[in-house]
Amino acid sequence: MLNFMSKMAANHIVKAKAKHTASVIFLHGLGDNGYGWSAGFEDIQEPHIKYIFPNAPAMPVTLNGGFMMPSWFDLYSLTPTGKEDEAGIKKAADKLKDLIKEEEKLVPSDRIVIGGFSQGGALSMYTALTWEKRLGGLLVLSSWLPLHKSFPQALKWHSGTPVLQCHGEADPMVPFTFGKMSAELMKSFSSTNHEFKTYPGLGHSSSEQEMLDIKEWIKKILPPKD
Protein backbone atom coordinates (compact mmCIF):
# COMPACT_ATOMS: atom_id res chain seq x y z
CA MET A 1 0.00 0.00 0.00
CA LEU A 2 2.85 2.40 0.81
CA ASN A 3 4.45 1.95 -2.64
CA PHE A 4 1.09 2.46 -4.30
CA MET A 5 0.47 5.67 -2.40
CA SER A 6 3.99 6.91 -3.22
CA LYS A 7 3.34 6.42 -6.92
CA MET A 8 0.01 8.20 -6.64
CA ALA A 9 1.69 11.14 -4.93
CA ALA A 10 4.44 11.31 -7.54
CA ASN A 11 2.33 11.55 -10.70
CA HIS A 12 -1.10 12.95 -11.42
CA ILE A 13 -2.50 11.28 -14.53
CA VAL A 14 -5.29 12.31 -16.88
CA LYS A 15 -6.18 9.12 -18.72
CA ALA A 16 -6.91 8.96 -22.43
CA LYS A 17 -10.64 8.92 -23.18
CA ALA A 18 -10.17 6.80 -26.29
CA LYS A 19 -7.48 4.32 -27.39
CA HIS A 20 -4.20 5.52 -25.87
CA THR A 21 -1.70 6.20 -28.69
CA ALA A 22 0.31 9.16 -27.37
CA SER A 23 1.44 10.72 -24.09
CA VAL A 24 2.33 14.16 -22.74
CA ILE A 25 4.57 14.49 -19.68
CA PHE A 26 4.38 18.03 -18.27
CA LEU A 27 6.44 19.35 -15.33
CA HIS A 28 5.28 22.18 -13.10
CA GLY A 29 7.35 25.15 -11.95
CA LEU A 30 9.13 25.92 -8.68
CA GLY A 31 6.93 25.66 -5.58
CA ASP A 32 3.97 24.31 -7.55
CA ASN A 33 2.50 20.85 -8.16
CA GLY A 34 1.09 18.92 -11.08
CA TYR A 35 -2.57 19.17 -10.10
CA GLY A 36 -3.07 22.79 -11.16
CA TRP A 37 -1.62 22.20 -14.61
CA SER A 38 -3.70 19.05 -15.07
CA ALA A 39 -6.89 21.14 -14.93
CA GLY A 40 -5.64 23.42 -17.71
CA PHE A 41 -4.68 20.51 -19.93
CA GLU A 42 -7.98 18.70 -19.33
CA ASP A 43 -9.64 21.67 -21.08
CA ILE A 44 -7.55 21.07 -24.22
CA GLN A 45 -7.26 17.28 -23.97
CA GLU A 46 -7.20 15.15 -27.11
CA PRO A 47 -9.07 11.84 -26.52
CA HIS A 48 -6.18 9.57 -27.58
CA ILE A 49 -3.58 11.25 -25.38
CA LYS A 50 -2.67 10.45 -21.78
CA TYR A 51 -1.31 13.37 -19.75
CA ILE A 52 1.14 12.83 -16.91
CA PHE A 53 1.91 15.54 -14.33
CA PRO A 54 4.74 14.55 -11.98
CA ASN A 55 5.19 16.32 -8.65
CA ALA A 56 8.67 17.53 -7.71
CA PRO A 57 10.17 16.52 -4.35
CA ALA A 58 10.47 19.12 -1.59
CA MET A 59 13.98 20.48 -1.07
CA PRO A 60 15.69 23.63 0.23
CA VAL A 61 16.04 26.21 -2.57
CA THR A 62 19.01 28.56 -2.29
CA LEU A 63 17.38 31.29 -4.41
CA ASN A 64 14.55 31.45 -1.87
CA GLY A 65 16.75 31.58 1.21
CA GLY A 66 16.90 27.82 1.68
CA PHE A 67 13.14 27.54 2.11
CA MET A 68 11.78 24.01 1.57
CA MET A 69 9.50 23.75 -1.45
CA PRO A 70 8.73 21.50 -4.42
CA SER A 71 11.68 21.84 -6.78
CA TRP A 72 13.21 19.70 -9.52
CA PHE A 73 16.72 20.92 -8.61
CA ASP A 74 18.32 23.69 -6.58
CA LEU A 75 18.31 27.23 -7.96
CA TYR A 76 21.00 29.77 -7.19
CA SER A 77 19.95 32.51 -9.62
CA LEU A 78 17.89 33.16 -12.74
CA THR A 79 20.55 34.73 -14.92
CA PRO A 80 22.37 33.25 -17.95
CA THR A 81 25.74 33.53 -16.21
CA GLY A 82 24.71 32.48 -12.69
CA LYS A 83 25.81 29.40 -10.74
CA GLU A 84 23.82 26.24 -11.53
CA ASP A 85 23.07 22.99 -9.72
CA GLU A 86 24.71 20.74 -12.31
CA ALA A 87 24.51 17.55 -10.26
CA GLY A 88 20.88 18.19 -9.33
CA ILE A 89 19.85 18.98 -12.92
CA LYS A 90 21.49 15.82 -14.26
CA LYS A 91 19.96 13.67 -11.52
CA ALA A 92 16.49 15.10 -12.22
CA ALA A 93 16.98 14.60 -15.97
CA ASP A 94 17.81 10.94 -15.37
CA LYS A 95 14.55 10.53 -13.42
CA LEU A 96 12.59 12.16 -16.24
CA LYS A 97 14.28 9.83 -18.73
CA ASP A 98 13.21 6.89 -16.55
CA LEU A 99 9.64 8.16 -16.76
CA ILE A 100 9.93 8.41 -20.56
CA LYS A 101 11.23 4.83 -20.66
CA GLU A 102 8.28 3.65 -18.59
CA GLU A 103 5.90 5.36 -21.00
CA GLU A 104 7.76 3.81 -23.96
CA LYS A 105 6.39 0.45 -22.81
CA LEU A 106 3.00 1.76 -23.93
CA VAL A 107 3.74 4.14 -26.82
CA PRO A 108 6.85 4.86 -28.96
CA SER A 109 9.25 7.67 -28.05
CA ASP A 110 8.14 9.69 -31.08
CA ARG A 111 4.60 9.69 -29.66
CA ILE A 112 5.72 11.18 -26.32
CA VAL A 113 5.86 14.93 -25.71
CA ILE A 114 7.78 16.22 -22.71
CA GLY A 115 7.63 19.76 -21.43
CA GLY A 116 7.00 22.07 -18.56
CA PHE A 117 6.59 25.54 -17.14
CA SER A 118 9.52 27.61 -15.84
CA GLN A 119 11.83 25.27 -13.87
CA GLY A 120 9.91 22.28 -15.22
CA GLY A 121 10.44 23.57 -18.75
CA ALA A 122 14.15 24.02 -18.06
CA LEU A 123 14.48 20.42 -16.93
CA SER A 124 12.53 19.24 -19.99
CA MET A 125 14.80 21.20 -22.34
CA TYR A 126 17.95 19.72 -20.84
CA THR A 127 16.46 16.22 -20.85
CA ALA A 128 15.35 16.44 -24.49
CA LEU A 129 18.76 17.67 -25.61
CA THR A 130 20.45 14.74 -23.89
CA TRP A 131 17.92 12.12 -25.06
CA GLU A 132 19.13 10.14 -28.06
CA LYS A 133 15.76 9.22 -29.58
CA ARG A 134 13.27 11.35 -31.47
CA LEU A 135 10.54 12.59 -29.16
CA GLY A 136 7.03 13.47 -30.26
CA GLY A 137 7.78 17.04 -29.19
CA LEU A 138 9.22 19.44 -26.63
CA LEU A 139 6.91 22.00 -25.01
CA VAL A 140 8.56 24.82 -23.05
CA LEU A 141 6.67 27.64 -21.29
CA SER A 142 8.28 30.70 -19.67
CA SER A 143 11.61 28.95 -19.33
CA TRP A 144 15.31 28.74 -20.17
CA LEU A 145 17.99 26.22 -21.13
CA PRO A 146 20.04 25.18 -18.08
CA LEU A 147 23.70 24.17 -18.33
CA HIS A 148 23.76 25.86 -21.75
CA LYS A 149 27.56 25.99 -21.71
CA SER A 150 27.68 22.17 -21.82
CA PHE A 151 26.27 22.23 -25.35
CA PRO A 152 26.89 21.23 -28.06
CA GLN A 153 29.34 18.78 -26.42
CA ALA A 154 26.59 17.10 -24.38
CA LEU A 155 24.13 17.11 -27.28
CA LYS A 156 22.31 13.89 -28.17
CA TRP A 157 19.30 15.75 -29.54
CA HIS A 158 17.33 14.32 -32.43
CA SER A 159 16.87 17.37 -34.65
CA GLY A 160 13.55 16.07 -36.01
CA THR A 161 11.85 16.65 -32.64
CA PRO A 162 9.29 19.48 -32.92
CA VAL A 163 9.61 22.30 -30.38
CA LEU A 164 7.06 24.83 -29.15
CA GLN A 165 8.57 27.48 -26.89
CA CYS A 166 6.27 30.15 -25.42
CA HIS A 167 7.23 33.19 -23.35
CA GLY A 168 5.44 36.24 -21.98
CA GLU A 169 7.10 39.51 -22.97
CA ALA A 170 6.40 40.96 -19.49
CA ASP A 171 7.82 38.03 -17.51
CA PRO A 172 9.51 39.43 -14.35
CA MET A 173 10.81 36.06 -13.11
CA VAL A 174 12.41 34.48 -16.19
CA PRO A 175 13.16 37.52 -18.36
CA PHE A 176 11.94 37.40 -21.95
CA THR A 177 15.50 37.99 -23.17
CA PHE A 178 16.63 34.81 -21.35
CA GLY A 179 13.91 32.82 -23.08
CA LYS A 180 14.78 34.32 -26.45
CA MET A 181 18.48 33.50 -26.00
CA SER A 182 17.54 29.90 -25.17
CA ALA A 183 15.34 29.71 -28.28
CA GLU A 184 18.13 30.96 -30.50
CA LEU A 185 20.52 28.40 -29.05
CA MET A 186 17.97 25.63 -29.54
CA LYS A 187 17.46 26.64 -33.16
CA SER A 188 21.22 26.46 -33.73
CA PHE A 189 21.01 22.72 -33.05
CA SER A 190 19.51 22.35 -36.55
CA SER A 191 15.91 21.97 -35.43
CA THR A 192 13.94 23.34 -38.37
CA ASN A 193 10.69 22.65 -36.53
CA HIS A 194 11.08 25.16 -33.70
CA GLU A 195 8.33 27.68 -32.96
CA PHE A 196 8.94 30.55 -30.53
CA LYS A 197 5.65 32.23 -29.64
CA THR A 198 5.58 35.43 -27.62
CA TYR A 199 2.75 37.06 -25.72
CA PRO A 200 2.71 40.85 -25.16
CA GLY A 201 1.75 41.82 -21.61
CA LEU A 202 1.96 38.26 -20.25
CA GLY A 203 3.97 37.84 -17.06
CA HIS A 204 5.26 34.64 -15.48
CA SER A 205 2.10 32.66 -16.11
CA SER A 206 0.03 31.12 -18.84
CA SER A 207 -2.95 32.55 -20.73
CA GLU A 208 -6.01 31.34 -22.61
CA GLN A 209 -4.35 32.15 -25.93
CA GLU A 210 -1.20 30.27 -24.99
CA MET A 211 -3.23 27.18 -24.05
CA LEU A 212 -5.11 27.37 -27.36
CA ASP A 213 -1.78 27.58 -29.20
CA ILE A 214 -0.58 24.52 -27.26
CA LYS A 215 -3.76 22.65 -28.18
CA GLU A 216 -3.29 23.32 -31.90
CA TRP A 217 0.40 22.37 -31.76
CA ILE A 218 -0.31 19.08 -29.97
CA LYS A 219 -3.09 18.25 -32.45
CA LYS A 220 -0.60 18.78 -35.28
CA ILE A 221 2.30 16.73 -33.91
CA LEU A 222 0.33 13.96 -32.17
CA PRO A 223 -2.59 13.21 -34.48
CA PRO A 224 -4.85 10.22 -33.75
CA LYS A 225 -3.36 6.88 -34.76
CA ASP A 226 -5.04 3.51 -35.28
Side-chain angles (χ1 to χ4, degrees):
M1 177 63 74
L2 181 60
N3 288 339
F4 173 76
M5 292 301 292
S6 296
K7 289 181 181 178
M8 291 295 290
N11 300 326
H12 180 62
I13 296 174
V14 177
K15 294 181 180 180
K17 296 178 180 178
K19 181 182 177 182
H20 172 217
T21 62
S23 297
V24 172
I25 303 171
F26 191 86
L27 279 59
H28 62 77
L30 179 68
D32 200 1
N33 61 62
Y35 293 92
W37 280 102
S38 69
F41 275 85
E42 281 189 80
D43 290 339
I44 63 168
Q45 181 181 12
E46 293 296 305
H48 61 287
I49 300 177
K50 178 173 79 171
Y51 297 79
I52 304 166
F53 302 91
N55 289 307
M59 65 176 66
V61 177
T62 302
L63 184 64
N64 288 346
F67 189 76
M68 290 283 292
M69 62 180 61
S71 184
W72 301 109
F73 49 85
D74 197 6
L75 281 171
Y76 300 100
S77 73
L78 284 173
T79 63
T81 57
K83 180 183 175 183
E84 296 184 274
D85 178 17
E86 181 174 354
I89 292 167
K90 290 181 176 179
K91 181 179 179 181
D94 285 342
K95 289 183 178 180
L96 179 52
K97 288 173 185 176
D98 287 342
L99 185 54
I100 297 170
K101 290 173 186 176
E102 281 298 308
E103 204 58 24
E104 275 191 294
K105 296 175 182 177
L106 304 173
V107 293
S109 179
D110 64 3
R111 297 284 292 173
I112 300 172
V113 166
I114 66 170
F117 176 81
S118 192
Q119 190 194 37
L123 178 57
S124 297
M125 289 180 84
Y126 181 82
T127 302
L129 290 178
T130 56
W131 176 258
E132 64 280 0
K133 298 180 184 178
R134 186 191 185 282
L135 289 164
L138 172 64
L139 174 62
V140 181
L141 312 182
S142 306
S143 194
W144 74 98
L145 174 59
L147 303 180
H148 63 276
K149 293 179 182 178
S150 65
F151 298 104
Q153 289 81 6
L155 192 66
K156 295 181 181 178
W157 170 249
H158 192 295
S159 61
T161 300
V163 181
L164 176 61
Q165 192 173 348
C166 303
H167 214 113
E169 294 181 9
D171 192 334
M173 297 293 295
V174 181
F176 175 74
T177 52
F178 201 178
K180 187 177 180 181
M181 288 169 58
S182 296
E184 290 171 351
L185 185 57
M186 286 286 294
K187 288 180 180 179
S188 74
F189 300 145
S190 72
S191 176
T192 56
N193 197 1
H194 187 294
E195 297 179 62
F196 183 53
K197 288 187 174 292
T198 64
Y199 302 86
L202 180 64
H204 195 62
S205 62
S206 187
S207 69
E208 183 178 356
Q209 184 58 57
E210 184 180 65
M211 294 304 293
L212 289 174
D213 290 342
I214 292 168
K215 179 179 181 178
E216 291 305 310
W217 180 74
I218 289 176
K219 285 174 66 176
K220 180 174 66 175
I221 65 165
L222 293 178
K225 186 177 181 181
D226 293 333

